[in-house]
Amino acid sequence: MWSLLKKELKIHIASPVAAVTFALFLFLTGFAFTAHMTEPSPQNLPEASMRGMTYFMAVIFVFLTPLLTMRGFAEERKIGTIELLKTSPLSDRAIVFGKYFSVWILYAALLFLTLEYPIFILLSGEPDPGPLTLSYLGLLLMGGAFLAAGIFCSVVTQSQVIAAVFSFVLLLTLWFLGEVGGVLGEKISVSSHLESFSIGVLDLGDISYYLLFTFLFLFLTVRYLRAEKWR
């Protein structure tokens, strides 16, 4: 698995898509953070927390996750190397994990580059560090779930564009499900489980939700690959 992970990571780093994704994310979050901290109205002073930024970064990830995961298996199918991969000594699980963790490391690196925002808040005031820390834990768990869904979308097609659109529609639906799906929709929605982290509450139910979400889509991806061998 490690050899595949390193190979995938090198391909992602050399890809212009990853560079564009990083540039877009850092520009948008930097712009939003600066606008938030330089709020001109004295009646609406900036809040010394990452609550608003956590939600904003999560929304951006709904749009950018498909860019990170669309290559995954879709490109292997397009250039015909998927059969070589499936007949290699690697197990289906190792193949999926190698693909998944290569984009997860990129995602974690992306979050790492935004640590200057909470550091600035800590140096500028006396905020509670708990919500700041848990906000990043929530984003790591939520992003892991998004990436697992994106990897699954890439395994069912040989077109990167279709994989990206499929992933985007799936994530957007799951994001807004809480607004239109009533009580059940709120429980399934990916956005409703992020709130507790941003206010400094460590809810085991929310942690379990994101871990189960991730496990479900990685499991489906492994099963899809395995089922193909029997066709």
Side-chain angles (χ1 to χ4, degrees), residues 14-39:
S15 165
V17 174
V20 169
T21 303
F22 269 61
L24 271 176
F25 179 75
L26 293 176
F27 170 76
L28 291 172
T29 55
F31 182 80
F33 185 75
T34 303
H36 173 66
M37 297 308 293
T38 55
E39 173 61 56

PDB file of all heavy atoms in Angstrom, residues 14-39:
ATOM      1  N   ALA A  14       2.632  16.766  -8.528  1.00  0.00           N
ATOM      2  CA  ALA A  14       3.081  17.261  -9.838  1.00  0.00           C
ATOM      3  C   ALA A  14       1.917  17.738 -10.708  1.00  0.00           C
ATOM      4  O   ALA A  14       2.138  18.359 -11.750  1.00  0.00           O
ATOM      5  CB  ALA A  14       3.840  16.146 -10.570  1.00  0.00           C
ATOM      6  N   SER A  15       0.695  17.457 -10.264  1.00  0.00           N
ATOM      7  CA  SER A  15      -0.473  17.799 -11.080  1.00  0.00           C
ATOM      8  C   SER A  15      -0.854  19.280 -10.950  1.00  0.00           C
ATOM      9  O   SER A  15      -0.890  19.825  -9.833  1.00  0.00           O
ATOM     10  CB  SER A  15      -1.660  16.928 -10.653  1.00  0.00           C
ATOM     11  OG  SER A  15      -2.855  17.455 -11.163  1.00  0.00           O
ATOM     12  N   PRO A  16      -1.179  19.942 -12.059  1.00  0.00           N
ATOM     13  CA  PRO A  16      -1.636  21.332 -11.970  1.00  0.00           C
ATOM     14  C   PRO A  16      -2.980  21.461 -11.252  1.00  0.00           C
ATOM     15  O   PRO A  16      -3.278  22.515 -10.700  1.00  0.00           O
ATOM     16  CB  PRO A  16      -1.752  21.752 -13.446  1.00  0.00           C
ATOM     17  CG  PRO A  16      -1.844  20.489 -14.218  1.00  0.00           C
ATOM     18  CD  PRO A  16      -1.076  19.475 -13.452  1.00  0.00           C
ATOM     19  N   VAL A  17      -3.761  20.392 -11.245  1.00  0.00           N
ATOM     20  CA  VAL A  17      -5.062  20.433 -10.556  1.00  0.00           C
ATOM     21  C   VAL A  17      -4.863  20.665  -9.061  1.00  0.00           C
ATOM     22  O   VAL A  17      -5.579  21.466  -8.441  1.00  0.00           O
ATOM     23  CB  VAL A  17      -5.845  19.119 -10.792  1.00  0.00           C
ATOM     24  CG1 VAL A  17      -7.128  19.098  -9.962  1.00  0.00           C
ATOM     25  CG2 VAL A  17      -6.178  18.960 -12.269  1.00  0.00           C
ATOM     26  N   ALA A  18      -3.885  19.957  -8.484  1.00  0.00           N
ATOM     27  CA  ALA A  18      -3.614  20.132  -7.056  1.00  0.00           C
ATOM     28  C   ALA A  18      -3.130  21.554  -6.777  1.00  0.00           C
ATOM     29  O   ALA A  18      -3.537  22.175  -5.780  1.00  0.00           O
ATOM     30  CB  ALA A  18      -2.573  19.116  -6.600  1.00  0.00           C
ATOM     31  N   ALA A  19      -2.288  22.079  -7.654  1.00  0.00           N
ATOM     32  CA  ALA A  19      -1.784  23.447  -7.467  1.00  0.00           C
ATOM     33  C   ALA A  19      -2.922  24.465  -7.527  1.00  0.00           C
ATOM     34  O   ALA A  19      -2.993  25.393  -6.713  1.00  0.00           O
ATOM     35  CB  ALA A  19      -0.739  23.750  -8.538  1.00  0.00           C
ATOM     36  N   VAL A  20      -3.829  24.276  -8.484  1.00  0.00           N
ATOM     37  CA  VAL A  20      -4.972  25.187  -8.615  1.00  0.00           C
ATOM     38  C   VAL A  20      -5.881  25.072  -7.390  1.00  0.00           C
ATOM     39  O   VAL A  20      -6.380  26.080  -6.861  1.00  0.00           O
ATOM     40  CB  VAL A  20      -5.763  24.864  -9.910  1.00  0.00           C
ATOM     41  CG1 VAL A  20      -7.087  25.611  -9.928  1.00  0.00           C
ATOM     42  CG2 VAL A  20      -4.939  25.210 -11.137  1.00  0.00           C
ATOM     43  N   THR A  21      -6.087  23.838  -6.924  1.00  0.00           N
ATOM     44  CA  THR A  21      -6.929  23.623  -5.742  1.00  0.00           C
ATOM     45  C   THR A  21      -6.348  24.330  -4.527  1.00  0.00           C
ATOM     46  O   THR A  21      -7.064  25.010  -3.784  1.00  0.00           O
ATOM     47  CB  THR A  21      -7.050  22.106  -5.454  1.00  0.00           C
ATOM     48  OG1 THR A  21      -7.568  21.446  -6.605  1.00  0.00           O
ATOM     49  CG2 THR A  21      -7.965  21.854  -4.274  1.00  0.00           C
ATOM     50  N   PHE A  22      -5.049  24.169  -4.310  1.00  0.00           N
ATOM     51  CA  PHE A  22      -4.386  24.830  -3.174  1.00  0.00           C
ATOM     52  C   PHE A  22      -4.496  26.347  -3.301  1.00  0.00           C
ATOM     53  O   PHE A  22      -4.808  27.041  -2.336  1.00  0.00           O
ATOM     54  CB  PHE A  22      -2.902  24.411  -3.129  1.00  0.00           C
ATOM     55  CG  PHE A  22      -2.645  23.195  -2.295  1.00  0.00           C
ATOM     56  CD1 PHE A  22      -3.234  21.978  -2.626  1.00  0.00           C
ATOM     57  CD2 PHE A  22      -1.824  23.246  -1.188  1.00  0.00           C
ATOM     58  CE1 PHE A  22      -3.013  20.841  -1.864  1.00  0.00           C
ATOM     59  CE2 PHE A  22      -1.592  22.117  -0.419  1.00  0.00           C
ATOM     60  CZ  PHE A  22      -2.178  20.917  -0.752  1.00  0.00           C
ATOM     61  N   ALA A  23      -4.226  26.863  -4.507  1.00  0.00           N
ATOM     62  CA  ALA A  23      -4.235  28.315  -4.711  1.00  0.00           C
ATOM     63  C   ALA A  23      -5.630  28.884  -4.473  1.00  0.00           C
ATOM     64  O   ALA A  23      -5.793  29.911  -3.799  1.00  0.00           O
ATOM     65  CB  ALA A  23      -3.760  28.636  -6.129  1.00  0.00           C
ATOM     66  N   LEU A  24      -6.647  28.218  -5.011  1.00  0.00           N
ATOM     67  CA  LEU A  24      -8.019  28.689  -4.836  1.00  0.00           C
ATOM     68  C   LEU A  24      -8.424  28.688  -3.371  1.00  0.00           C
ATOM     69  O   LEU A  24      -8.995  29.663  -2.861  1.00  0.00           O
ATOM     70  CB  LEU A  24      -8.985  27.775  -5.620  1.00  0.00           C
ATOM     71  CG  LEU A  24      -9.278  28.133  -7.066  1.00  0.00           C
ATOM     72  CD1 LEU A  24     -10.161  27.057  -7.703  1.00  0.00           C
ATOM     73  CD2 LEU A  24      -9.964  29.498  -7.149  1.00  0.00           C
ATOM     74  N   PHE A  25      -8.114  27.592  -2.692  1.00  0.00           N
ATOM     75  CA  PHE A  25      -8.516  27.463  -1.294  1.00  0.00           C
ATOM     76  C   PHE A  25      -7.849  28.522  -0.420  1.00  0.00           C
ATOM     77  O   PHE A  25      -8.498  29.186   0.395  1.00  0.00           O
ATOM     78  CB  PHE A  25      -8.166  26.066  -0.782  1.00  0.00           C
ATOM     79  CG  PHE A  25      -8.512  25.855   0.657  1.00  0.00           C
ATOM     80  CD1 PHE A  25      -9.832  25.670   1.042  1.00  0.00           C
ATOM     81  CD2 PHE A  25      -7.526  25.850   1.632  1.00  0.00           C
ATOM     82  CE1 PHE A  25     -10.166  25.504   2.381  1.00  0.00           C
ATOM     83  CE2 PHE A  25      -7.847  25.680   2.962  1.00  0.00           C
ATOM     84  CZ  PHE A  25      -9.167  25.501   3.334  1.00  0.00           C
ATOM     85  N   LEU A  26      -6.530  28.688  -0.592  1.00  0.00           N
ATOM     86  CA  LEU A  26      -5.808  29.650   0.246  1.00  0.00           C
ATOM     87  C   LEU A  26      -6.218  31.085  -0.061  1.00  0.00           C
ATOM     88  O   LEU A  26      -6.297  31.930   0.841  1.00  0.00           O
ATOM     89  CB  LEU A  26      -4.295  29.462   0.048  1.00  0.00           C
ATOM     90  CG  LEU A  26      -3.750  28.123   0.568  1.00  0.00           C
ATOM     91  CD1 LEU A  26      -2.272  27.983   0.254  1.00  0.00           C
ATOM     92  CD2 LEU A  26      -3.979  27.996   2.074  1.00  0.00           C
ATOM     93  N   PHE A  27      -6.508  31.366  -1.335  1.00  0.00           N
ATOM     94  CA  PHE A  27      -6.961  32.716  -1.684  1.00  0.00           C
ATOM     95  C   PHE A  27      -8.319  33.014  -1.049  1.00  0.00           C
ATOM     96  O   PHE A  27      -8.509  34.062  -0.423  1.00  0.00           O
ATOM     97  CB  PHE A  27      -7.056  32.859  -3.208  1.00  0.00           C
ATOM     98  CG  PHE A  27      -7.726  34.132  -3.649  1.00  0.00           C
ATOM     99  CD1 PHE A  27      -7.043  35.342  -3.587  1.00  0.00           C
ATOM    100  CD2 PHE A  27      -9.041  34.121  -4.096  1.00  0.00           C
ATOM    101  CE1 PHE A  27      -7.666  36.528  -3.976  1.00  0.00           C
ATOM    102  CE2 PHE A  27      -9.666  35.296  -4.481  1.00  0.00           C
ATOM    103  CZ  PHE A  27      -8.972  36.494  -4.425  1.00  0.00           C
ATOM    104  N   LEU A  28      -9.261  32.076  -1.196  1.00  0.00           N
ATOM    105  CA  LEU A  28     -10.613  32.311  -0.682  1.00  0.00           C
ATOM    106  C   LEU A  28     -10.640  32.390   0.848  1.00  0.00           C
ATOM    107  O   LEU A  28     -11.293  33.267   1.419  1.00  0.00           O
ATOM    108  CB  LEU A  28     -11.555  31.197  -1.167  1.00  0.00           C
ATOM    109  CG  LEU A  28     -11.859  31.198  -2.663  1.00  0.00           C
ATOM    110  CD1 LEU A  28     -12.626  29.946  -3.066  1.00  0.00           C
ATOM    111  CD2 LEU A  28     -12.646  32.441  -3.049  1.00  0.00           C
ATOM    112  N   THR A  29      -9.926  31.473   1.512  1.00  0.00           N
ATOM    113  CA  THR A  29      -9.927  31.503   2.977  1.00  0.00           C
ATOM    114  C   THR A  29      -9.168  32.729   3.501  1.00  0.00           C
ATOM    115  O   THR A  29      -9.571  33.323   4.500  1.00  0.00           O
ATOM    116  CB  THR A  29      -9.310  30.221   3.558  1.00  0.00           C
ATOM    117  OG1 THR A  29      -7.996  30.038   3.013  1.00  0.00           O
ATOM    118  CG2 THR A  29     -10.165  29.015   3.253  1.00  0.00           C
ATOM    119  N   GLY A  30      -8.077  33.093   2.831  1.00  0.00           N
ATOM    120  CA  GLY A  30      -7.322  34.272   3.245  1.00  0.00           C
ATOM    121  C   GLY A  30      -8.150  35.534   3.099  1.00  0.00           C
ATOM    122  O   GLY A  30      -8.160  36.402   3.981  1.00  0.00           O
ATOM    123  N   PHE A  31      -8.876  35.617   1.994  1.00  0.00           N
ATOM    124  CA  PHE A  31      -9.732  36.783   1.761  1.00  0.00           C
ATOM    125  C   PHE A  31     -10.841  36.846   2.816  1.00  0.00           C
ATOM    126  O   PHE A  31     -11.116  37.922   3.387  1.00  0.00           O
ATOM    127  CB  PHE A  31     -10.350  36.677   0.364  1.00  0.00           C
ATOM    128  CG  PHE A  31     -11.213  37.837  -0.016  1.00  0.00           C
ATOM    129  CD1 PHE A  31     -10.651  39.021  -0.473  1.00  0.00           C
ATOM    130  CD2 PHE A  31     -12.592  37.759   0.091  1.00  0.00           C
ATOM    131  CE1 PHE A  31     -11.445  40.105  -0.802  1.00  0.00           C
ATOM    132  CE2 PHE A  31     -13.395  38.831  -0.237  1.00  0.00           C
ATOM    133  CZ  PHE A  31     -12.824  40.008  -0.698  1.00  0.00           C
ATOM    134  N   ALA A  32     -11.473  35.712   3.095  1.00  0.00           N
ATOM    135  CA  ALA A  32     -12.575  35.679   4.067  1.00  0.00           C
ATOM    136  C   ALA A  32     -12.072  36.008   5.469  1.00  0.00           C
ATOM    137  O   ALA A  32     -12.724  36.744   6.216  1.00  0.00           O
ATOM    138  CB  ALA A  32     -13.237  34.299   4.052  1.00  0.00           C
ATOM    139  N   PHE A  33     -10.904  35.473   5.833  1.00  0.00           N
ATOM    140  CA  PHE A  33     -10.374  35.726   7.174  1.00  0.00           C
ATOM    141  C   PHE A  33     -10.006  37.204   7.349  1.00  0.00           C
ATOM    142  O   PHE A  33     -10.299  37.803   8.381  1.00  0.00           O
ATOM    143  CB  PHE A  33      -9.146  34.853   7.414  1.00  0.00           C
ATOM    144  CG  PHE A  33      -8.600  34.948   8.807  1.00  0.00           C
ATOM    145  CD1 PHE A  33      -9.247  34.335   9.864  1.00  0.00           C
ATOM    146  CD2 PHE A  33      -7.438  35.672   9.064  1.00  0.00           C
ATOM    147  CE1 PHE A  33      -8.758  34.437  11.161  1.00  0.00           C
ATOM    148  CE2 PHE A  33      -6.944  35.787  10.354  1.00  0.00           C
ATOM    149  CZ  PHE A  33      -7.602  35.162  11.402  1.00  0.00           C
ATOM    150  N   THR A  34      -9.385  37.766   6.334  1.00  0.00           N
ATOM    151  CA  THR A  34      -9.012  39.186   6.402  1.00  0.00           C
ATOM    152  C   THR A  34     -10.263  40.062   6.511  1.00  0.00           C
ATOM    153  O   THR A  34     -10.310  41.009   7.317  1.00  0.00           O
ATOM    154  CB  THR A  34      -8.218  39.590   5.144  1.00  0.00           C
ATOM    155  OG1 THR A  34      -7.079  38.743   5.027  1.00  0.00           O
ATOM    156  CG2 THR A  34      -7.768  41.036   5.224  1.00  0.00           C
ATOM    157  N   ALA A  35     -11.279  39.742   5.717  1.00  0.00           N
ATOM    158  CA  ALA A  35     -12.529  40.521   5.760  1.00  0.00           C
ATOM    159  C   ALA A  35     -13.182  40.401   7.129  1.00  0.00           C
ATOM    160  O   ALA A  35     -13.723  41.384   7.666  1.00  0.00           O
ATOM    161  CB  ALA A  35     -13.481  40.022   4.676  1.00  0.00           C
ATOM    162  N   HIS A  36     -13.116  39.214   7.715  1.00  0.00           N
ATOM    163  CA  HIS A  36     -13.733  38.988   9.027  1.00  0.00           C
ATOM    164  C   HIS A  36     -13.002  39.757  10.123  1.00  0.00           C
ATOM    165  O   HIS A  36     -13.620  40.379  10.993  1.00  0.00           O
ATOM    166  CB  HIS A  36     -13.716  37.490   9.341  1.00  0.00           C
ATOM    167  CG  HIS A  36     -14.177  37.164  10.721  1.00  0.00           C
ATOM    168  ND1 HIS A  36     -15.474  37.386  11.142  1.00  0.00           N
ATOM    169  CD2 HIS A  36     -13.510  36.649  11.790  1.00  0.00           C
ATOM    170  CE1 HIS A  36     -15.594  37.007  12.408  1.00  0.00           C
ATOM    171  NE2 HIS A  36     -14.411  36.565  12.818  1.00  0.00           N
ATOM    172  N   MET A  37     -11.673  39.747  10.090  1.00  0.00           N
ATOM    173  CA  MET A  37     -10.892  40.370  11.156  1.00  0.00           C
ATOM    174  C   MET A  37     -10.786  41.880  11.007  1.00  0.00           C
ATOM    175  O   MET A  37     -10.350  42.565  11.936  1.00  0.00           O
ATOM    176  CB  MET A  37      -9.472  39.771  11.178  1.00  0.00           C
ATOM    177  CG  MET A  37      -9.442  38.284  11.488  1.00  0.00           C
ATOM    178  SD  MET A  37     -10.364  37.827  12.985  1.00  0.00           S
ATOM    179  CE  MET A  37      -9.375  38.606  14.246  1.00  0.00           C
ATOM    180  N   THR A  38     -11.133  42.405   9.858  1.00  0.00           N
ATOM    181  CA  THR A  38     -11.072  43.864   9.674  1.00  0.00           C
ATOM    182  C   THR A  38     -12.476  44.438   9.544  1.00  0.00           C
ATOM    183  O   THR A  38     -12.688  45.421   8.845  1.00  0.00           O
ATOM    184  CB  THR A  38     -10.256  44.211   8.416  1.00  0.00           C
ATOM    185  OG1 THR A  38     -10.828  43.523   7.286  1.00  0.00           O
ATOM    186  CG2 THR A  38      -8.811  43.814   8.574  1.00  0.00           C
ATOM    187  N   GLU A  39     -13.436  43.795  10.220  1.00  0.00           N
ATOM    188  CA  GLU A  39     -14.819  44.270  10.223  1.00  0.00           C
ATOM    189  C   GLU A  39     -14.870  45.741  10.624  1.00  0.00           C
ATOM    190  O   GLU A  39     -14.443  46.123  11.720  1.00  0.00           O
ATOM    191  CB  GLU A  39     -15.638  43.437  11.218  1.00  0.00           C
ATOM    192  CG  GLU A  39     -17.047  43.930  11.451  1.00  0.00           C
ATOM    193  CD  GLU A  39     -17.847  43.910  10.177  1.00  0.00           C
ATOM    194  OE1 GLU A  39     -17.938  42.849   9.548  1.00  0.00           O
ATOM    195  OE2 GLU A  39     -18.341  44.994   9.801  1.00  0.00           O
TER     196      GLU A  39
END
